[in-house]
Amino acid sequence: MQYNPDPSHKFTFGLWTVGNIGRDPFGGLVREPLTRVELVHLLADVGARGLSYERLDHLTLELLPGVR
């Protein structure tokens, strides 16, 4: 079966998936890091229907009560 994406298909993406910088096993990162705002704009530019996120996409661990 061949996959043929169409604008009528609706996709959502997680910020952690498109924001993953990747790692080369013989070097450093393979993509430059983007801010959360840049990631949202990127998803909008490619026509994503929406995004999904975890609480840690927006909060640092230091801001969560009881987390060390």
Side-chain angles (χ1 to χ4, degrees):
M1 174 188 276
Q2 186 175 351
Y3 174 69
N4 295 309
D6 181 274
S8 68
H9 299 150
K10 309 297 182 201
F11 294 97
T12 63
F13 298 89
L15 294 180
W16 65 93
T17 58
V18 293
N20 189 323
I21 57 174
R23 293 280 178 205
D24 180 335
F26 303 105
L29 56 97
V30 295
R31 288 178 291 281
E32 291 299 318
L34 298 174
T35 68
R36 293 174 192 112
V37 172
E38 290 171 320
L39 292 171
V40 171
H41 285 279
L42 172 69
L43 290 172
D45 290 345
V46 298
R49 168 76 178 214
L51 61 95
S52 54
Y53 60 91
E54 297 285 333
R55 72 179 187 280
L56 296 179
D57 286 334
H58 297 286
L59 300 173
T60 63
L61 290 177
E62 293 81 21
L63 296 176
L64 298 174
V67 176
R68 296 177 191 229

